[in-house]
Amino acid sequence: MTPLRVVFIASEAAPFAKTGGLADVAGSLPNALRRLNVDIRVVLPGYRQVFEHSLRQEPVWTNLNTWLGSQRLTFQVRKLPIENVAPIYVIDREDMFDRPHLYGNDDGDYYDNAERFIFFCRAVVSLMHAWDFTPHVVHCNDWHTGLIPVYMQLEPAFRQFKTLFTLHNIGYSGLFPSDKFALTGLDLSHYQPNGLEFYGQWSMLKAGLVYSRAVSTVSPTYAREIQTPEYGKGLDGVLRNRRASVFGLLNGVNYQMWNPETDTFIPARYTPDDLSGKRICKAALIQACQLDGSLMERPVIGIVSRLDVQKGIDLIIPILSELIESLKVGLVILGTGDGMMQQRLQRASESYRGKFAFIQRFDDEFARRILAGADMLLIPSRYEPCGLTQLYAMKYGTIPVVRATGGLNDTVSEVNEHTGEGTGFTFKHVDSTDCLTAIQKAVGVYRMPLTWRRIQTNGMSMDFSWEKAAQNYLSLYRELMRDSTI
Ligand code: ADP
């Protein structure tokens, strides 16, 4: 069979530029597909972080250009000098992407994100004109790439390309005021409810959802949830209209990067057969967070999360005294985001010194130290498209306690303390008491060391590798190729 040719476009990819799970996916899925013989090329914005991470390579194209409104903007395309991975091309234009952050700073989103990502989408189209690479599938990810399927439909040369739009989080819709619409170069027939218009504004996410041949999201449960008013953020109707071409494919884990047997960032390595290293990691975490030594014999709960309403971290504030004083658990939270939430966590951690540590930063190494050193990882999300930290936690023998939504529902199975089956503890409602009940059950099982050990082993032996997940994407690409209706 001729190899499938795919262009994979995303706004971030680990390890070059990362704010969340999208980067983990874009950094791993293309390589897993390449191992399945897919001829795949990745396109990213040329952020400062990308170039800092990878020495600048001679540009492949020095003088491409595209329109932004009535302005013609030039840009370069550089290829990153990395061997044996899916080739990565970056769209390089300093005034757009050479900034300290990807999308904004403490004051909020950059004021010109519409300009930046309209430009990015249009630059990708120009690149595809210049390329001697004709893809079968153009795979776009999240709102930053949402205009690409529109341009693919409008350009006669590209109309035969099958576009797949993967939705990693419907909460980020790339919503902009009407006066920015002219920058897209699209005529006004696209500015209507069947097109990009969204309640008086217009949405780049909606563009991707409406104009792509197929839509996928990152777990089967989330694919169903986003078709309901409760989870659809106003786009559920659009998705219901397209239900025959909406797919839910679970994300994977790059076990070369997330594995306690090989992770050099954690204080000691360990395997499912010998967890003594995990105890060393717990002791080191307790010390690093200046928690009470007595917590060595009590459960320590970790959280590694963006501090966004989505993540439900606020649910734990009303139950802190139950957790710390009655259940006598330790708590370590690593996260950044919402300013109010940061303040509340800071204050609470000060009043429970020695029991509760709040680390307010983005720190990949410390995230790993929590994944390895904690006994449980708490993820009380209001919604969770897939969630990666619960998958990492299982691999690190850290038992997830999660709200059963989206990918959390698809990947964590409820513990049966009588049989020792299951991989974690779940609760159903967005409710502090429900969350507390799940943690109480977990603490009860923690007191049964043999059962706890068995559940750790269950989680550590789960296989959420990208190899499996990439097979599902490959099948979807092939289905797209075969089926003229999607
Ligand atoms: P989301 O993409 O919604 O943020 P995911 O669970 O899919 O959630 O992915 C989050 C990723 O970001 C994980 O790799 C997690 O370890 C990482 N992460 C989140 N917050 C932090 C932080 N403060 N420091 C380091 N890594 C973090």
Side-chain angles (χ1 to χ4, degrees):
M1 231 186 282
T2 38
L4 258 169
R5 292 184 299 276
V6 176
V7 179
F8 185 98
I9 308 137
S11 66
E12 53 183 270
F16 312 105
K18 168 166 170 174
T19 66
L22 168 62
D24 292 0
V25 175
S28 295
L29 173 59
N31 296 332
L33 284 162
R34 182 174 175 271
R35 289 192 289 275
L36 295 176
N37 204 26
V38 175
D39 185 0
I40 184 165
R41 301 180 179 190
V42 179
V43 186
L44 300 175
Y47 300 115
R48 180 182 300 174
Q49 294 77 355
V50 172
F51 293 123
E52 278 171 359
H53 203 278
S54 165
L55 291 179
R56 276 178 190 255
Q57 167 91 346
E58 275 310 299
V60 186
W61 288 275
T62 49
N63 203 16
L64 294 184
N65 60 67
T66 191
W67 290 97
L68 184 67
S70 57
Q71 267 189 307
R72 204 159 180 80
L73 301 185
T74 58
F75 64 94
Q76 303 197 346
V77 177
R78 295 168 184 269
K79 189 172 167 206
L80 298 188
I82 305 165
E83 310 256 300
N84 300 323
V85 296
I88 300 171
Y89 294 79
V90 296
I91 305 286
D92 180 16
R93 188 179 154 97
E94 278 178 17
D95 62 350
M96 293 288 175
F97 300 123
D98 185 17
R99 303 187 185 186
H101 303 281
L102 270 51
Y103 311 122
N105 51 31
D106 287 347
D107 299 329
D109 289 346
Y110 290 132
Y111 73 96
D112 57 350
N113 275 350
E115 283 82 350
R116 297 172 77 219
F117 290 102
I118 295 169
F119 164 75
F120 178 59
C121 292
R122 301 193 81 174
V124 170
V125 176
S126 296
L127 164 63
M128 285 173 61
H129 276 295
W131 237 341
D132 57 349
F133 182 73
T134 311
H136 297 101
V137 176
V138 177
H139 187 165
C140 303
N141 294 274
D142 272 355
W143 72 263
H144 322 83
T145 63
L147 291 172
I148 294 170
V150 189
Y151 297 133
M152 293 292 115
Q153 262 197 31
L154 295 177
E155 300 257 346
F158 297 156
R159 216 165 271 157
Q160 84 277 15
F161 300 166
K162 306 286 185 170
T163 45
L164 172 64
F165 186 77
T166 299
L167 177 66
H168 297 261
N169 191 331
I170 206 167
Y172 297 87
S173 56
L175 198 61
F176 298 107
S178 55
D179 61 0
K180 301 266 185 185
F181 187 75
L183 298 173
T184 63
L186 297 172
D187 73 57
L188 276 176
S189 65
H190 299 280
Y191 193 86
Q192 40 105 351
N194 287 338
L196 278 62
E197 198 261 344
F198 189 75
Y199 300 105
Q201 301 191 71
W202 64 282
S203 157
M204 281 182 63
L205 183 74
K206 192 176 173 200
L209 299 181
V210 172
Y211 288 85
S212 56
R213 294 287 182 98
V215 173
S216 73
T217 188
V218 289
S219 69
T221 297
Y222 195 58
R224 286 191 299 277
E225 286 175 340
I226 54 178
Q227 296 181 48
T228 67
E230 190 185 349
Y231 290 91
K233 306 266 177 194
L235 290 164
D236 43 296
V238 174
L239 288 157
R240 279 197 303 278
N241 280 340
R242 301 213 55 190
R243 69 170 74 79
S245 36
V246 175
F247 301 87
L249 308 185
L250 209 53
N251 280 338
V253 176
N254 181 343
Y255 287 124
Q256 278 174 338
M257 288 172 74
W258 298 94
N259 188 339
E261 292 182 37
T262 52
D263 192 332
T264 51
F265 292 110
I266 58 177
R269 271 138 299 283
Y270 53 93
T271 64
D273 296 330
D274 178 3
L275 290 181
S276 49
K278 185 161 174 66
R279 225 174 136 71
I280 298 174
C281 293
K282 181 170 179 179
L285 181 67
I286 286 176
Q287 196 183 25
C289 295
Q290 298 180 326
L291 296 182
D292 253 35
S294 63
L295 285 169
M296 272 313 283
E297 306 314 322
R298 300 292 311 161
V300 170
I301 301 178
I303 292 181
V304 176
S305 181
R306 288 185 292 114
L307 301 178
D308 181 278
V309 184
Q310 173 200 340
K311 299 292 181 180
I313 308 299
D314 51 304
L315 295 184
I316 63 171
I317 304 273
I319 55 172
L320 276 175
S321 70
E322 283 286 334
L323 293 179
I324 292 167
E325 288 162 21
S326 308
L327 287 177
K328 304 203 179 322
V329 303
L331 186 60
V332 177
I333 300 183
L334 172 69
T336 56
D338 178 73
M340 286 281 279
M341 182 51 62
Q342 289 180 172
Q343 280 177 23
R344 287 170 84 185
L345 292 174
Q346 187 57 41
R347 272 201 302 273
S349 68
E350 279 160 18
S351 48
Y352 290 112
R353 228 178 273 271
K355 309 285 182 194
F356 173 13
F358 171 49
I359 300 106
Q360 185 193 312
R361 57 175 193 262
F362 193 95
D363 182 339
D364 185 59
E365 183 172 336
F366 208 79
R368 292 160 184 278
R369 292 170 69 123
I370 293 176
L371 287 168
D375 298 292
M376 305 170 194
L377 194 81
L378 179 60
I379 315 176
S381 303
R382 287 192 162 74
Y383 72 92
E384 194 58 72
C386 177
L388 292 170
T389 50
Q390 81 280 14
L391 306 181
Y392 302 153
M394 284 188 249
K395 188 68 182 172
Y396 282 74
T398 301
I399 298 183
V401 181
V402 306
R403 179 162 171 258
T405 181
L408 298 171
N409 184 54
D410 294 328
T411 56
V412 178
S413 58
E414 179 69 28
V415 164
N416 179 330
E417 65 270 48
H418 306 295
T419 63
E421 286 165 334
T423 54
F425 301 86
T426 63
F427 62 98
K428 203 163 171 206
H429 301 109
V430 182
D431 177 74
S432 299
T433 315
D434 245 28
C435 175
L436 178 62
T437 306
I439 297 171
Q440 279 166 334
K441 179 174 171 190
V443 172
V445 178
Y446 181 83
R447 290 194 204 102
M448 304 154 64
L450 290 180
T451 312
W452 190 260
R453 181 73 170 78
R454 174 127 182 240
I455 295 157
Q456 287 180 302
T457 314
N458 295 348
M460 293 178 89
S461 56
M462 296 296 290
D463 178 8
F464 292 105
S465 63
W466 270 114
E467 272 50 47
K468 268 187 167 177
Q471 278 290 356
N472 295 332
Y473 276 95
L474 183 55
S475 304
L476 180 54
Y477 292 160
R478 294 220 178 276
E479 197 170 330
L480 267 167
M481 299 293 301
R482 270 195 305 273
D483 189 345
S484 55
T485 62
I486 55 175

